[in-house]
Amino acid sequence: MQVLALGSGAGGGFPQWNCACRNCSALRAGTFRGKPRTQAQLAVCADGNAWFLLGASPDLRAQIEAVPQLQPSKGQLRQSPVTGVLLASAEVDHVLGLLSLRELQPLEVYSTPSIRRILREDNSIFRMLNRVPGQVQWVDIVPGQHFWLQSGSEQSLRCQAVSLVSKFPAYVPEPKLPELAAQEALLGLILDAPPGKRLGYFPAVPEVDENLLNILDSTDLLFFDGTFWSDDELIRVLGQGQTARQMGHIPVSGPYGSLERLASLQRPRKIFLHINNTNPMLDEAGEEYRALRAAGWEIAEDGWQFQL
Amino acid sequence: MQVLALGSGAGGGFPQWNCACRNCSALRAGTFRGKPRTQAQLAVCADGNAWFLLGASPDLRAQIEAVPQLQPSKGQLRQSPVTGVLLASAEVDHVLGLLSLRELQPLEVYSTPSIRRILREDNSIFRMLNRVPGQVQWVDIVPGQHFWLQSGSEQSLRCQAVSLVSKFPAYVPEPKLPELAAQEALLGLILDAPPGKRLGYFPAVPEVDENLLNILDSTDLLFFDGTFWSDDELIRVLGQGQTARQMGHIPVSGPYGSLERLASLQRPRKIFLHINNTNPMLDEAGEEYRALRAAGWEIAEDGWQFQL
């Protein structure tokens, strides 16, 4: 399985348009030891042919144009190696890029029924994906059950969605919530490829219990929520706001943070992704970066490629 | 008035993710004599301080990061020179970038009531713009009547919206249409700056009558719909599809095309923008490009700057 990290930042990317924090200011000034990052986006391929997107970031247009593997190559006038999109939530930074795939291309979108209903029932703009017959096929998935990403009539990648305890996005109106299933709000994604290799994609994780630890330790390559370094990061930087945990993100550092909670993992190569612009670990000259490297972690950069 | 052309392409940009037409293929191969283009986007500023966006393209995040004038500069942690957004339609390639401005920043969005209602009543995702008090203020404008873009309590730019005969976007559900006012679907935008200089922004124009001709000839700098070179361009390239006029765009060439219809204009500097990836005039080695240059027109490129 080929894996492309097309984007590695949290919502808003790095730098963020209206932010002048230490990281964003230094990056714009050219004095930052670290990379700019578009919003989190993975793409995977099992057969060298059909590619699947994990999420659809707002930066998707530029992310596709950055890698030849995702560009038309078969001599047809309208064609794309992008065959399907697998959604882990209905958050803006995870779904908006679907609308950058609106040009009448056949495509499968895999999501829970609740995520599909939020997009299709309450957002007429997503009707752009279903203007003509044979455009987007919406495929329901059930957390906990195996399913296959399909390339035409071929089974391409075997998947499982792990339900994480979380809330629906802030934009979902209160009266809609009783129609939705809480276990369908936020997923971690497990993808299996021959010969027995496993990818884990967990860009947003509110907390880690023993069951989730076991699942994470069954992967070979793990992309994990690196949104915030500390629980009070936004409050410290901005003087106001919510804690990381209130926003549904386990912080990297501190008691019960991901460095501590995932220290026992044996199997996976561990990579943080979905990193907020305020996170001090973006600074490769800083102690936070040194600490996570010493703990055996890496931080994803836009453009990284992996072979599993 | 400063004017920035941040993007100059039509919906999908150039190249388009799923397109392997002659233009897109040559551009990706590095053999094209012409520039890549993000989706159409202008930014204007009268006082060297407060900037207003004309439309909000899906590429807005990268477009803002490309020009220092639009980045935070006042030493506050969260701040932006982007003060407001003026909408000409509810088309995806003209409004999606609003969601790239979702980070709780005070902002005024000027639109007709119909455009506002499509976004706010039928698309819950746009609730991200109104999560906290003092975030986005929606300001109604009336076609034909003058209004001012405001920077705080200061009047910044005097505007007028010109109603163009058109349809609402394809994603608007049929049952919604009776609630909307047809003259509020598509606008041309006129912006006046001292001393008596006038900008015209007309990224989508279905047809040109004598009244519109007079309005266009009152501008000093005119950005005009350059989507398609010929009426049957998409059908010729793809073997199917709609004509330019069926899609609401007067073609550049041919009988009653914009080169012919606007030949009599005396006052403005004339610049095509919103150029589709299939348009042969993107090729600066081609006869179409020579023809429009000979007719006194230019083609906008991403990054062009103007002083009016």
Side-chain angles (χ1 to χ4, degrees), chain A residues 3-308:
Chain A
V3 181
L4 303 181
L6 304 175
S8 50
F14 177 51
Q16 181 178 303
W17 72 287
N18 67 338
C19 190
C21 72
R22 191 183 151 277
N23 284 353
C24 289
S25 298
L27 187 69
R28 290 197 187 97
T31 59
F32 191 70
R33 196 149 133 219
K35 304 285 197 319
R37 283 170 166 85
T38 60
Q39 292 161 90
Q41 179 68 51
L42 288 197
V44 299
C45 180
D47 60 5
N49 200 6
W51 284 84
F52 296 90
L53 305 176
L54 307 189
S57 104
D59 298 315
L60 190 54
R61 198 189 90 81
Q63 290 169 333
I64 287 177
E65 285 308 322
V67 290
Q69 296 97 311
L70 296 183
Q71 296 163 15
S73 62
K74 292 189 175 163
Q76 295 161 262
L77 272 166
R78 290 286 164 99
Q79 187 268 332
S80 172
V82 177
T83 302
V85 184
L86 176 52
L87 299 179
S89 77
E91 294 291 344
V92 175
D93 72 338
H94 195 76
V95 302
L96 202 62
L98 287 173
L99 293 172
S100 291
L101 306 175
R102 67 190 178 279
E103 280 88 5
L104 311 182
Q105 187 71 27
L107 210 61
E108 253 124 43
V109 176
Y110 303 80
S111 79
T112 61
S114 294
I115 293 171
R116 168 177 54 75
R117 292 184 59 188
I118 291 168
L119 301 182
R120 297 197 69 189
E121 294 176 5
D122 288 2
N123 288 282
S124 66
I125 202 164
F126 283 92
R127 289 164 49 101
M128 291 303 282
L129 301 178
N130 290 102
R131 292 179 59 200
V132 299
Q135 198 179 348
V136 167
Q137 297 286 331
W138 296 81
V139 182
D140 283 352
I141 61 175
V142 180
Q145 291 186 10
H146 289 289
F147 61 96
W148 288 83
L149 301 179
Q150 297 278 139
S151 172
S153 58
E154 304 277 308
Q155 292 181 333
S156 182
L157 274 162
R158 186 169 176 267
C159 304
Q160 191 177 343
V162 179
S163 180
L164 303 174
V165 176
S166 187
K167 291 174 290 195
F168 286 98
Y171 69 80
V172 177
E174 197 84 32
K176 182 77 175 176
L177 295 176
E179 304 172 31
L180 306 175
Q183 72 274 16
E184 296 183 355
L186 176 64
L187 309 172
L189 304 174
I190 298 286
L191 289 87
D192 290 318
K197 293 293 186 181
R198 175 168 278 194
L199 169 71
Y201 187 51
F202 289 76
V205 179
E207 59 183 38
V208 177
D209 61 15
E210 290 306 307
N211 180 48
L212 181 56
L213 264 187
N214 288 331
I215 293 171
L216 297 178
D217 212 11
S218 75
T219 66
D220 298 282
L221 178 61
L222 172 63
F223 291 90
F224 193 84
D225 184 344
T227 313
F228 298 112
W229 177 259
S230 52
D231 198 36
D232 62 350
E233 179 174 315
L234 273 191
I235 299 166
R236 270 205 270 181
V237 172
L238 300 178
Q240 57 178 0
Q242 293 183 299
T243 65
R245 285 191 168 88
Q246 284 169 341
M247 297 175 75
H249 298 286
I250 182 175
V252 172
S253 70
Y256 306 101
S258 51
L259 284 184
E260 183 183 301
R261 288 295 288 146
L262 275 61
S264 62
L265 296 190
Q266 297 294 318
R267 186 167 157 189
R269 178 175 171 185
K270 298 175 292 187
I271 301 177
F272 285 120
L273 155 150
H274 197 271
I275 304 153
N276 199 55
N277 65 90
T278 53
N279 191 325
M281 74 186 188
L282 287 169
D283 181 357
E284 294 168 21
E287 59 182 303
E288 294 85 357
Y289 181 76
R290 278 197 303 279
L292 73 90
R293 294 291 288 135
W297 284 82
E298 298 163 81
I299 307 187
E301 294 181 8
D302 293 13
W304 276 11
Q305 311 204 1
F306 306 83
Q307 187 74 43
L308 256 195

Side-chain angles (χ1 to χ4, degrees), chain B residues 21-96:
Chain B
C21 72
R22 191 183 151 278
N23 284 353
C24 289
S25 298
L27 187 70
R28 290 197 187 98
T31 59
F32 191 71
R33 194 145 136 223
K35 303 285 197 319
R37 282 172 166 85
T38 59
Q39 292 162 90
Q41 179 68 52
L42 288 197
V44 299
C45 180
D47 60 5
N49 202 7
W51 284 84
F52 296 91
L53 305 177
L54 307 190
S57 103
D59 299 314
L60 190 54
R61 198 188 90 80
Q63 290 168 334
I64 287 176
E65 285 307 324
V67 290
Q69 295 97 313
L70 297 182
Q71 296 163 16
S73 62
K74 291 187 176 165
Q76 295 161 263
L77 273 166
R78 290 286 164 99
Q79 186 268 331
S80 172
V82 177
T83 302
V85 184
L86 176 51
L87 299 180
S89 77
E91 294 291 344
V92 176
D93 71 338
H94 194 78
V95 302
L96 202 62

